């Protein structure tokens, strides 16, 4: 009987740790070279077209497309620091060099501008004026 109680307690502890653990996005694609994508018009367009629902998606682009709405809604709270830094790098690039593309994506993923308002202060810390 003692061993059953012990197993039950350990199982309960494991479940509470799992349920209480902070949920994060997978880091599977964290080592992608963003500079290589942003600096290569062909690669950039592939990602952009995927996000715009106008082209085929690589596995990485599909993951990004599926993650963006939740990341925007949660203020990127599930992002690792590397993912947050990457997000701001891409935003800065797009606003400075591809503003039209940024506006097209914003029309799809943030049509009311709520997320731009939510991120404005933090973006400014990264030198980005939304």
């Amino acid at each position: 009987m003692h061993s059953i109680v012990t197993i039950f307690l350990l199982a309960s502890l494991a479940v509470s740790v799992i349920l209480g653990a902070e949920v994060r996005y997978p880091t599977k694609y964290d080592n992608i070279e963003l500079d290589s994508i942003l600096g290569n018009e062909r690669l950039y367009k592939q990602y952009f077209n995927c996000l715009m629902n106008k082209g085929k998606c690589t596995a990485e682009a599909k993951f990004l497309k599926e993650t963006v709405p939740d990341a925007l809604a949660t203020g990127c709270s599930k992002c690792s620091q590397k993912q947050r830094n990457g997000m701001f790098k891409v935003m800065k690039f797009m606003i400075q060099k591809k503003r039209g593309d940024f506006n097209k994506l914003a029309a799809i993923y943030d049509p009311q501008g709520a997320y731009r308002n939510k991120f404005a202060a933090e973006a400014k810390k990264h030198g980005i004026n939304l």
Side-chain angles (χ1 to χ4, degrees), residues 26-50:
T27 58
K28 181 177 180 178
Y29 300 114
D30 279 10
N31 292 321
I32 289 177
E33 284 293 324
L34 291 177
D35 291 327
S36 297
I37 295 167
L38 300 176
N40 181 313
E41 189 64 23
R42 182 185 59 79
L43 289 175
Y44 168 83
K45 279 294 185 191
Q46 285 179 328
Y47 277 83
F48 178 74
N49 287 336
C50 170

Short mmCIF file of all heavy atoms in Angstrom, two decimals, residues 26-50:
data_model
loop_
_atom_site.label_atom_id
_atom_site.label_comp_id
_atom_site.label_asym_id
_atom_site.label_seq_id
_atom_site.Cartn_x
_atom_site.Cartn_y
_atom_site.Cartn_z
N PRO A 26 8.84 25.84 -29.67
CA PRO A 26 10.01 24.98 -29.91
C PRO A 26 11.18 25.80 -30.43
O PRO A 26 11.00 26.79 -31.14
CB PRO A 26 9.52 24.00 -30.97
CG PRO A 26 8.03 24.08 -30.93
CD PRO A 26 7.68 25.44 -30.44
N THR A 27 12.39 25.38 -30.09
CA THR A 27 13.60 26.09 -30.52
C THR A 27 14.24 25.42 -31.74
O THR A 27 15.36 25.75 -32.10
CB THR A 27 14.62 26.15 -29.37
OG1 THR A 27 14.92 24.81 -28.95
CG2 THR A 27 14.08 26.94 -28.19
N LYS A 28 13.50 24.54 -32.35
CA LYS A 28 14.00 23.76 -33.49
C LYS A 28 14.61 24.63 -34.59
O LYS A 28 15.60 24.26 -35.20
CB LYS A 28 12.84 22.94 -34.06
CG LYS A 28 13.18 22.06 -35.21
CD LYS A 28 11.97 21.25 -35.64
CE LYS A 28 12.27 20.34 -36.79
NZ LYS A 28 11.12 19.53 -37.16
N TYR A 29 14.03 25.80 -34.85
CA TYR A 29 14.49 26.65 -35.94
C TYR A 29 15.27 27.87 -35.46
O TYR A 29 15.51 28.80 -36.22
CB TYR A 29 13.31 27.10 -36.80
CG TYR A 29 12.55 25.94 -37.41
CD1 TYR A 29 11.24 25.66 -37.04
CD2 TYR A 29 13.16 25.10 -38.34
CE1 TYR A 29 10.55 24.59 -37.59
CE2 TYR A 29 12.48 24.03 -38.89
CZ TYR A 29 11.17 23.78 -38.52
OH TYR A 29 10.50 22.72 -39.06
N ASP A 30 15.69 27.88 -34.22
CA ASP A 30 16.37 29.05 -33.67
C ASP A 30 17.72 29.35 -34.31
O ASP A 30 18.21 30.46 -34.21
CB ASP A 30 16.57 28.90 -32.16
CG ASP A 30 15.32 29.27 -31.38
OD1 ASP A 30 14.26 29.46 -31.99
OD2 ASP A 30 15.43 29.36 -30.15
N ASN A 31 18.32 28.38 -34.96
CA ASN A 31 19.65 28.60 -35.53
C ASN A 31 19.62 28.97 -37.01
O ASN A 31 20.66 28.99 -37.67
CB ASN A 31 20.53 27.37 -35.30
CG ASN A 31 20.84 27.20 -33.83
OD1 ASN A 31 21.07 28.17 -33.12
ND2 ASN A 31 20.82 25.97 -33.36
N ILE A 32 18.45 29.29 -37.52
CA ILE A 32 18.35 29.76 -38.90
C ILE A 32 19.06 31.11 -39.00
O ILE A 32 18.90 31.97 -38.14
CB ILE A 32 16.88 29.88 -39.33
CG1 ILE A 32 16.29 28.48 -39.48
CG2 ILE A 32 16.73 30.66 -40.63
CD1 ILE A 32 14.82 28.47 -39.82
N GLU A 33 19.82 31.28 -40.06
CA GLU A 33 20.55 32.53 -40.29
C GLU A 33 19.60 33.58 -40.88
O GLU A 33 19.37 33.60 -42.09
CB GLU A 33 21.73 32.30 -41.23
CG GLU A 33 22.90 31.62 -40.57
CD GLU A 33 23.57 32.52 -39.54
OE1 GLU A 33 23.64 33.76 -39.74
OE2 GLU A 33 24.00 31.97 -38.51
N LEU A 34 19.06 34.41 -40.03
CA LEU A 34 18.12 35.43 -40.50
C LEU A 34 18.76 36.38 -41.50
O LEU A 34 18.12 36.78 -42.47
CB LEU A 34 17.56 36.22 -39.32
CG LEU A 34 16.63 35.46 -38.39
CD1 LEU A 34 16.21 36.34 -37.22
CD2 LEU A 34 15.41 34.96 -39.13
N ASP A 35 20.02 36.74 -41.26
CA ASP A 35 20.70 37.65 -42.19
C ASP A 35 20.78 37.07 -43.59
O ASP A 35 20.67 37.79 -44.58
CB ASP A 35 22.10 38.00 -41.67
CG ASP A 35 22.04 38.86 -40.42
OD1 ASP A 35 21.11 39.68 -40.30
OD2 ASP A 35 22.93 38.70 -39.56
N SER A 36 20.95 35.75 -43.68
CA SER A 36 21.01 35.09 -44.99
C SER A 36 19.67 35.18 -45.71
O SER A 36 19.63 35.36 -46.93
CB SER A 36 21.40 33.61 -44.84
OG SER A 36 22.67 33.49 -44.28
N ILE A 37 18.60 35.05 -44.96
CA ILE A 37 17.26 35.13 -45.56
C ILE A 37 16.95 36.57 -45.94
O ILE A 37 16.49 36.85 -47.05
CB ILE A 37 16.21 34.56 -44.61
CG1 ILE A 37 16.45 33.07 -44.39
CG2 ILE A 37 14.80 34.81 -45.14
CD1 ILE A 37 15.68 32.47 -43.23
N LEU A 38 17.18 37.49 -45.02
CA LEU A 38 16.85 38.88 -45.28
C LEU A 38 17.73 39.49 -46.37
O LEU A 38 17.29 40.39 -47.08
CB LEU A 38 16.98 39.70 -43.99
CG LEU A 38 16.06 39.26 -42.84
CD1 LEU A 38 16.35 40.07 -41.59
CD2 LEU A 38 14.60 39.35 -43.24
N GLY A 39 18.94 38.97 -46.53
CA GLY A 39 19.86 39.49 -47.53
C GLY A 39 19.74 38.83 -48.89
O GLY A 39 20.44 39.21 -49.83
N ASN A 40 18.86 37.86 -49.01
CA ASN A 40 18.69 37.13 -50.27
C ASN A 40 17.24 37.32 -50.72
O ASN A 40 16.32 36.77 -50.13
CB ASN A 40 19.01 35.65 -50.05
CG ASN A 40 18.89 34.82 -51.29
OD1 ASN A 40 17.90 34.91 -52.03
ND2 ASN A 40 19.87 33.97 -51.52
N GLU A 41 17.05 38.11 -51.76
CA GLU A 41 15.70 38.46 -52.21
C GLU A 41 14.85 37.24 -52.52
O GLU A 41 13.66 37.20 -52.21
CB GLU A 41 15.77 39.39 -53.42
CG GLU A 41 14.45 39.99 -53.83
CD GLU A 41 13.83 40.91 -52.78
OE1 GLU A 41 14.54 41.45 -51.92
OE2 GLU A 41 12.59 41.08 -52.81
N ARG A 42 15.46 36.22 -53.14
CA ARG A 42 14.71 35.02 -53.48
C ARG A 42 14.20 34.32 -52.22
O ARG A 42 13.01 33.97 -52.12
CB ARG A 42 15.58 34.06 -54.30
CG ARG A 42 14.86 32.80 -54.75
CD ARG A 42 15.81 31.83 -55.47
NE ARG A 42 16.92 31.41 -54.65
CZ ARG A 42 16.86 30.47 -53.70
NH1 ARG A 42 15.72 29.88 -53.43
NH2 ARG A 42 17.92 30.12 -53.01
N LEU A 43 15.07 34.13 -51.22
CA LEU A 43 14.66 33.49 -49.97
C LEU A 43 13.64 34.35 -49.22
O LEU A 43 12.64 33.85 -48.70
CB LEU A 43 15.86 33.23 -49.07
CG LEU A 43 16.82 32.14 -49.51
CD1 LEU A 43 18.03 32.08 -48.60
CD2 LEU A 43 16.12 30.79 -49.53
N TYR A 44 13.91 35.65 -49.17
CA TYR A 44 13.00 36.56 -48.49
C TYR A 44 11.60 36.45 -49.09
O TYR A 44 10.61 36.35 -48.38
CB TYR A 44 13.52 38.01 -48.59
CG TYR A 44 12.50 39.02 -48.17
CD1 TYR A 44 12.31 39.33 -46.83
CD2 TYR A 44 11.69 39.64 -49.12
CE1 TYR A 44 11.33 40.24 -46.44
CE2 TYR A 44 10.72 40.55 -48.74
CZ TYR A 44 10.54 40.84 -47.40
OH TYR A 44 9.57 41.74 -47.03
N LYS A 45 11.52 36.46 -50.42
CA LYS A 45 10.22 36.40 -51.11
C LYS A 45 9.50 35.08 -50.82
O LYS A 45 8.27 35.05 -50.72
CB LYS A 45 10.37 36.59 -52.62
CG LYS A 45 10.51 38.04 -53.01
CD LYS A 45 9.22 38.77 -52.72
CE LYS A 45 9.26 40.19 -53.21
NZ LYS A 45 8.13 40.97 -52.70
N GLN A 46 10.25 33.98 -50.70
CA GLN A 46 9.62 32.70 -50.39
C GLN A 46 8.92 32.77 -49.03
O GLN A 46 7.78 32.33 -48.90
CB GLN A 46 10.65 31.57 -50.39
CG GLN A 46 11.08 31.14 -51.77
CD GLN A 46 12.12 30.04 -51.71
OE1 GLN A 46 12.94 29.98 -50.79
NE2 GLN A 46 12.10 29.17 -52.70
N TYR A 47 9.62 33.30 -48.04
CA TYR A 47 9.01 33.44 -46.71
C TYR A 47 7.84 34.41 -46.76
O TYR A 47 6.78 34.13 -46.21
CB TYR A 47 10.05 33.92 -45.69
CG TYR A 47 10.90 32.82 -45.12
CD1 TYR A 47 12.02 32.34 -45.80
CD2 TYR A 47 10.59 32.24 -43.90
CE1 TYR A 47 12.80 31.33 -45.27
CE2 TYR A 47 11.36 31.23 -43.36
CZ TYR A 47 12.46 30.77 -44.06
OH TYR A 47 13.23 29.78 -43.54
N PHE A 48 8.05 35.53 -47.40
CA PHE A 48 7.00 36.55 -47.48
C PHE A 48 5.76 35.99 -48.17
O PHE A 48 4.64 36.14 -47.67
CB PHE A 48 7.51 37.79 -48.22
CG PHE A 48 6.47 38.85 -48.39
CD1 PHE A 48 6.07 39.64 -47.33
CD2 PHE A 48 5.87 39.06 -49.63
CE1 PHE A 48 5.08 40.61 -47.48
CE2 PHE A 48 4.89 40.02 -49.79
CZ PHE A 48 4.50 40.81 -48.71
N ASN A 49 5.93 35.32 -49.31
CA ASN A 49 4.79 34.76 -50.03
C ASN A 49 4.06 33.70 -49.20
O ASN A 49 2.84 33.61 -49.24
CB ASN A 49 5.23 34.20 -51.37
CG ASN A 49 5.55 35.29 -52.37
OD1 ASN A 49 5.08 36.42 -52.26
ND2 ASN A 49 6.40 34.97 -53.33
N CYS A 50 4.80 32.91 -48.45
CA CYS A 50 4.19 31.93 -47.57
C CYS A 50 3.31 32.64 -46.54
O CYS A 50 2.14 32.28 -46.35
CB CYS A 50 5.25 31.11 -46.86
SG CYS A 50 4.61 30.05 -45.53
#
